[in-house]
Amino acid sequence: MKPLKTRISITLDDPIYQKIKGLAEYDDRSVSSYINLALRDHLKRLEQEEEE
């Protein structure tokens, strides 16, 4: 069973969107999936920094 997801709308600066879009295409992912992955990694790093 897939985990539940929440649909949201966000506004991004165009250069950021273009960069993420290119990275997502390179990684064969949707932009949404790539943003989710990037945020998950960022939050994990923040948690590790808090533990130090």
Side-chain angles (χ1 to χ4, degrees):
M1 182 184 238
K2 286 187 172 183
L4 296 176
K5 297 197 177 206
T6 302
R7 182 178 294 265
I8 64 166
S9 292
I10 63 171
T11 303
L12 300 172
D13 294 338
D14 192 60
I16 292 172
Y17 173 72
Q18 294 301 323
K19 183 69 173 180
I20 289 173
K21 181 180 174 189
L23 291 168
E25 288 174 0
Y26 180 79
D27 211 23
D28 197 27
R29 297 177 184 271
S30 67
V31 170
S32 179
S33 176
Y34 193 87
I35 291 171
N36 197 55
L37 178 67
L39 286 172
R40 185 182 305 123
D41 289 347
H42 178 69
L43 292 171
K44 187 176 182 178
R45 270 187 258 122
L46 288 176
E47 288 175 0
Q48 288 173 347
E49 288 176 9
E50 287 178 356
E51 291 174 0
E52 293 176 0

